[in-house]
Amino acid sequence: MEKLQFINSGVLGSVSLKAIDALAPEAEVSFAKLTDGSGAGADFLGWVDLATRTPDSLVDDIMDTAAQLRRDCDVIVAIGIGGSYLGAKAVIEALNNSFDAYIPAAGPKVLFAGQNIGEDYLYELQQLLKDKKFGIIVISKSGTTTEPAIAFRLLKEQLEAQLGREEAGKRIVAITDEHRGALRSLATTEGYKTYVIDDNVGGRFSVLSPVGLLPIAAAGFDIRELIGGARAMQKATLDGSDTSAKEYAMTRNALYRDGKKIEILVNYNPKLHFFGEWWKQLYGESEGKDHKGIFPAAVDNSTDLHSMGQWIQDGERTIFETVISVAAQQHSVVIPSDEANLDGLNYIAGKRVDQVNKMAELGTRLAHIDGGVPNMQLVVPALTPYWLGQLIYFFEAACGISGYLLGVNPFNQPGVEAYKRNMFALLEKPGYEKETEAIKARL
Ligand code: PA5
């Protein structure tokens, strides 16, 4: 039977199996904390069984809402940042036709806003939406985050100007806390359709909640399959029949304790670029605290072999890699033979492009191992909703175990408040008068 395969033999020149296995007792304790709630941040363990707790009726309801948005709109703008953005973006990019934006017949497009404060970005989006039928999915767990709030204020005003307040309201869906936050009050006042983000599911662990499911379904993808994959991985991880998440957590912590401070998530498929972004947030926000944590980076190969490849092969030896290998492609493209052979490529004529890509991957992996870059590999059978669901759960479970192995609370993010405090002080937000005075004195 096909399965997600985790292989860590490529690290053994750097850390021994004995050193990895020595972490097994700690990993068991860390793993138990995820299910018995005895660890730090236990209020945020709702993701552990989210896939199986999500009733099919909710999935059906989300699919109905998505279908209606797709019927009514040419463009659906998903507004959110961090965990309220990256999961949906990662899955949609992984499944989409690479040139979807240029294929109108492929159906409504999901675009993103509120993930930055780029004035030109927002202006250009407003211009694009001027002559489009559009709808909005606004996502914020706290309901108070500045970036999505600005984008929503702008696009809500634009939609209301186009359709009138009542009709606009039918094309807006809000996903937020059940009771708290400005977005909840606004949605209640305006009578929007809403979905709830459970209190015990943190933003970066929320892709399998309505936060990720609605935009993914609105982009036309099968969220039943996605949830199905996550359920299968959840079951196998929790009943112990699949120990790969634990092994990954142990291996990366053994490497970290041996001085490898940076992990690079490597893909050989351009559709996985945003999966790397999602993974960076998941691990960066979960582990980087108390002046500890593996720094998560990501590269897209073979593109980045022509930029970061030099550093990885030959730079400071403080890195290790985790390579996501996609076993099967959706399409076949064969390199043609050419009689003149002016480009000298006839030696690979008749081969599929993916065969060449796989040799680039294997050649790089071996060169990196030889160059002192320990290397883990995760083989995914194919880029489908089902396997993405498995991959998401795998990385979430490993992240929880790994954070506890590191000795931090993987489920809070106190560090992100520092910039907000300064920004609010600089913008003279009511309630921040003392901070405004203090920061002005520094300038
Ligand atoms: O993982 C997290 O909790 C954060 O990255 C949040 O998702 C992000 O800050 C957005 O927060 P909110 O959904 O409250 O707008």
Side-chain angles (χ1 to χ4, degrees), residues 44 79-86 114 139-149 175-176 183 197 201-206 211 281-282 285-286 411-413 416-417 419-420:
F44 289 95
I79 297 178
I81 195 166
S84 292
Y85 154 64
L86 282 162
I139 309 167
S140 176
K141 182 173 180 192
S142 61
T144 56
T145 307
T146 310
E147 291 90 336
I175 306 175
T176 189
L183 181 57
I197 310 172
V201 177
R204 59 190 172 276
F205 288 85
S206 69
V211 168
Q281 189 216 357
L282 182 64
E285 257 187 10
S286 299
F411 306 115
N412 63 3
Q413 55 282 333
V416 300
E417 294 309 316
Y419 98 88
K420 288 187 196 167

Side-chain angles (χ1 to χ4, degrees), residues 170-235:
K170 294 182 190 159
R171 292 221 204 130
I172 297 175
V173 182
I175 306 175
T176 189
D177 184 90
E178 190 170 6
H179 305 291
R180 286 182 302 261
L183 181 57
R184 169 56 61 186
S185 340
L186 193 157
T188 307
T189 307
E190 300 282 6
Y192 299 151
K193 166 89 179 168
T194 62
Y195 291 99
V196 170
I197 310 172
D198 293 344
D199 268 352
N200 60 0
V201 177
R204 59 190 172 276
F205 288 85
S206 69
V207 52
L208 299 169
S209 78
V211 168
L213 296 180
L214 182 59
I216 293 166
F221 297 113
D222 191 341
I223 55 171
R224 278 199 198 106
E225 282 286 306
L226 185 80
I227 285 273
R231 283 176 182 163
M233 186 49 99
Q234 177 195 313
K235 185 176 172 304

Side-chain angles (χ1 to χ4, degrees), residues 241-253:
S241 57
D242 189 321
T243 54
S244 50
K246 220 181 287 176
E247 287 165 36
Y248 172 53
M250 282 159 55
T251 309
R252 62 198 298 282
N253 275 277

